[in-house]
Amino acid sequence: MADTQNSTQDTPKNTNNEVALEMMKFIAVQTGYGKGVGTSAGFGPKSSNSPEQYAEALLELFQRCKKTVEG
């Protein structure tokens, strides 16, 4: 049986995007990036960031990660 290999191999650009995405996810989860100031146990004011602001912050973080990976 012939050795079959995936015909769609990752290009460097795709690989860079994947690395940047993983970096972004790690930073966002570890730091709460883009969520705004929140408090624990439900005490205090709610986060002031809307879902749109949160998405914008994550996109900005992804662009920064991508620039770092490619740079």
Side-chain angles (χ1 to χ4, degrees), residues 21-35 54 58 61:
L21 181 62
E22 289 300 318
M23 182 186 296
M24 182 209 70
K25 289 192 291 187
F26 176 79
I27 292 169
V29 168
Q30 295 299 316
T31 65
Y33 186 87
K35 287 188 178 182
Y54 181 56
L58 290 177
L61 178 60

Side-chain angles (χ1 to χ4, degrees), residues 4-22:
T4 59
Q5 202 172 19
N6 191 357
S7 62
T8 58
Q9 295 194 5
D10 288 334
T11 63
K13 187 170 192 143
N14 287 343
T15 302
N16 287 346
N17 286 339
E18 290 170 4
V19 170
L21 181 62
E22 289 300 318

